[in-house]
């Protein structure tokens, strides 16, 4: 019993000591907070603390936060209305594409030399007309002198040679994809069209590349379809900013024997494990080429994420497809002359 009594007394003394220590700390804290210099330093720290929108929202009363949640619900409904708006824009694009097409068909005929423009169709007054007239007069004088000297007359090539190939060469985004061995093939490219999905079908557009007969593949048409989505993401509806490309699908290129530029053949020495003999084998490996454009990376349908390199490659692919649709095809002649490139730079 005596031992228990001592233990209780000791515990009581400890509690009292702790209580005394606590009282001292509270008194010390009160004294510190009454110090004007300490208060000024604390106020300065509060004034200089970053005021982020989220930190401000956290300070609002619960009733106000409830009203903000209601505003977010309204914002989601706005996003769904915006998605419908873009679906109707797609319908308008399809309608006006049909109006543009006769002009693009005539463009193709002038480029390929199927038809020759009339004098009225070829009349164009440029901003630098006076300078060009003087240059033209000087050129005519030189031509006359050359003719008088017995020089051969200038030949008149068919259509506009290397029209689309020149565009590929002029536009950095495209030229970066083109290898030297792609160039002879692209010189056979005669036309590029954009075709929109039909009414009632999922939103998409298809790029159609038309080639004249050539020594590289038997296809006269290569296609690339970009599938689009115009609806807010359920997990993140506020990120919606209009239709986005979500997947793409290429086509099979029927290469002629030995002409496939998307693969290269390498020789490799291989040692037999049992006999120890060495033999040389040949194998085909992927090769950099613009024509890989028609064999894109597939977006996984089972939700698996792509690795970082594949994500980057796909993002570039989507950007190139969008650029063909929005810029290259509608304004081809200006990318051929370089005028559109100067506008883009500006």
């Amino acid at each position: 019993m005596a031992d228990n009594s001592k233990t209780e007394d000791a515990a009581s003394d400890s509690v009292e000591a702790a209580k005394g220590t606590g009282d001292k700390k509270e008194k010390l804290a009160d004294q510190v907070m009454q110090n004007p210099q300490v208060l000024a330093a604390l106020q300065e720290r509060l004034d200089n603390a970053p005021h982020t929108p989220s930190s401000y929202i956290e300070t609002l009363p619960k009733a106000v936060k409830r009203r903000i949640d209601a505003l977010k619900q309204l914002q989601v409904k706005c996003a769904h209305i915006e998605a419908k708006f873009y679906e109707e824009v797609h319908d308008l694009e399809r309608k006006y594409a049909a109006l543009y097409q006769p002009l693009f068909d005539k463009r193709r005929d002038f480029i390929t030399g199927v038809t020759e423009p009339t004098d009225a169709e070829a009349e164009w007054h440029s901003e630098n007309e006076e300078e060009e007239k003087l240059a033209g007069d000087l050129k005519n004088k030189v031509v006359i002198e050359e003719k008088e000297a017995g020089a051969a007359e200038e030949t008149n090539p068919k259509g506009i040679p290397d029209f689309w190939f020149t565009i590929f060469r002029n536009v950095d985004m495209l030229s970066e994809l083109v290898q030297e061995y792609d160039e002879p093939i692209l010189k056979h490219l005669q036309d590029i069209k954009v075709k929109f999905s039909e009414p009632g079908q999922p939103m998409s557009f298809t790029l159609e590349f038309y080639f004249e007969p050539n020594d590289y593949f038997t296809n006269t048409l290569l296609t690339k379809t970009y599938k689009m989505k115009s609806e807010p993401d359920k997990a993140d509806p506020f990120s919606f900013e209009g239709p986005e490309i979500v997947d793409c699908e290429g086509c099979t290129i029927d290469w002629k024997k030995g002409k496939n530029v998307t693969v290269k053949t390498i020789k490799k020495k291989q040692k037999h494990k049992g006999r120890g003999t060495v033999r040389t084998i040949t194998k085909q490996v992927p090769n950099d080429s613009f024509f890989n454009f028609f064999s894109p990376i597939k977006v996984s349908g089972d939700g698996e994420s792509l690795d970082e390199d594949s994500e980057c490659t796909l993002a570039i692919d989507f950007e190139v497809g969008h650029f063909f649709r929005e810029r290259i095809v509608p304004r081809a002649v200006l990318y051929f002359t370089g005028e559109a490139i100067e506008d883009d730079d500006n």
Side-chain angles (χ1 to χ4, degrees):
M1 292 292 293
D3 289 343
N4 288 340
S5 177
K6 289 180 181 178
T7 303
E8 288 174 1
D9 290 343
S12 178
D13 291 343
S14 297
V15 169
E16 288 298 324
K19 185 177 179 182
T21 303
D23 291 342
K24 288 179 182 178
K25 286 183 177 178
E26 285 180 11
K27 289 179 181 178
L28 182 62
D30 289 340
Q31 291 174 1
V32 168
M33 292 306 294
Q34 289 172 9
N35 187 319
Q37 292 179 335
V38 172
L39 288 173
L42 285 171
Q43 187 62 49
E44 185 180 0
R45 289 189 66 181
L46 288 171
D47 292 341
N48 293 331
H51 295 285
T52 61
S54 58
S55 64
Y56 166 67
I57 297 301
E58 289 301 318
T59 64
L60 296 175
K62 188 175 181 180
V64 176
K65 289 180 182 177
R66 181 174 174 276
R67 293 168 199 142
I68 293 171
D69 289 341
L71 294 186
K72 287 184 177 180
Q73 274 211 41
L74 294 177
Q75 191 63 45
V76 170
K77 291 178 180 178
C78 286
H80 284 280
I81 293 173
E82 187 180 6
K84 293 294 181 185
F85 164 77
Y86 282 115
E87 286 177 9
E88 292 197 23
V89 168
H90 190 71
D91 291 337
L92 271 178
E93 285 183 309
R94 185 189 305 110
K95 173 186 173 182
Y96 278 89
L99 301 178
Y100 288 130
Q101 198 52 54
L103 301 177
F104 292 158
D105 289 343
K106 184 169 279 193
R107 176 179 74 183
R108 176 202 60 213
D109 291 344
F110 290 161
I111 291 169
T112 58
V114 170
T115 59
E116 194 69 27
T118 64
D119 289 343
E121 289 172 327
E123 186 177 356
W124 180 258
H125 300 287
S126 68
E127 295 178 359
N128 303 319
E129 193 167 7
E130 280 299 317
E131 294 177 15
E132 289 178 359
K133 185 176 182 301
L134 290 172
D137 292 342
L138 182 62
K139 182 180 178 181
N140 289 336
K141 184 179 178 182
V142 172
V143 169
I144 292 169
E145 290 175 354
E146 286 180 348
K147 283 183 179 179
E148 289 175 350
E153 290 189 6
E154 182 183 353
T155 58
N156 183 13
K158 185 180 179 182
I160 305 176
D162 300 341
F163 180 83
W164 291 101
F165 169 65
T166 301
I167 293 173
F168 272 75
R169 194 169 52 190
N170 287 349
V171 178
D172 289 344
M173 186 186 295
L174 302 182
S175 65
E176 289 173 359
L177 303 176
V178 176
Q179 308 299 318
E180 188 176 347
Y181 39 80
D182 292 327
E183 295 180 1
I185 311 176
L186 289 172
K187 291 187 176 187
H188 294 286
L189 180 58
Q190 293 185 306
D191 197 17
I192 306 176
K193 293 181 182 179
V194 178
K195 185 177 180 181
F196 294 94
S197 54
E198 295 297 325
Q201 296 295 316
M203 187 182 292
S204 69
F205 68 92
T206 300
L207 300 176
E208 299 181 335
F209 295 74
Y210 290 84
F211 287 83
E212 65 184 353
N214 59 78
D215 296 331
Y216 298 90
F217 45 72
T218 58
N219 313 65
T220 56
L221 172 64
L222 301 180
T223 61
K224 180 77 169 286
T225 298
Y226 288 89
K227 300 174 184 179
M228 305 177 71
K229 183 183 77 170
S230 181
E231 59 184 61
D233 191 313
K234 291 180 180 179
D236 186 17
F238 303 132
S239 65
F240 181 73
E241 293 182 348
E244 61 175 333
I245 297 172
V246 293
D247 198 3
C248 54
E249 190 173 289
C251 67
T252 300
I253 302 178
D254 299 318
W255 295 99
K256 294 181 179 180
K257 188 175 180 181
K259 296 294 186 178
N260 188 349
V261 295
T262 65
V263 295
K264 60 183 176 182
T265 302
I266 62 170
K267 292 183 178 181
K268 187 177 180 181
K269 290 186 177 181
Q270 189 178 66
K271 188 175 182 180
H272 193 280
K273 290 182 179 179
R275 295 191 297 271
T277 56
V278 177
R279 63 172 181 168
T280 301
I281 62 169
T282 59
K283 61 182 294 188
Q284 287 190 329
V285 295
N287 197 26
D288 289 338
S289 168
F290 165 73
F291 291 91
N292 289 322
F293 181 73
F294 299 98
S295 301
I297 295 171
K298 289 298 294 178
V299 176
S300 175
D302 54 13
E304 288 186 15
S305 58
L306 298 171
D307 59 56
E308 190 173 342
D309 288 344
S310 297
E311 287 277 7
C312 182
T313 300
L314 205 58
I316 292 171
D317 191 320
F318 290 174
E319 187 178 359
V320 171
H322 185 76
F323 199 75
F324 268 117
R325 168 192 162 175
E326 294 291 330
R327 309 287 289 174
I328 298 292
V329 173
R331 308 180 72 203
V333 65
L334 302 181
Y335 282 97
F336 175 79
T337 62
E339 293 164 82
I341 297 167
E342 292 174 7
D343 291 343
D344 290 345
D345 289 344
N346 290 335

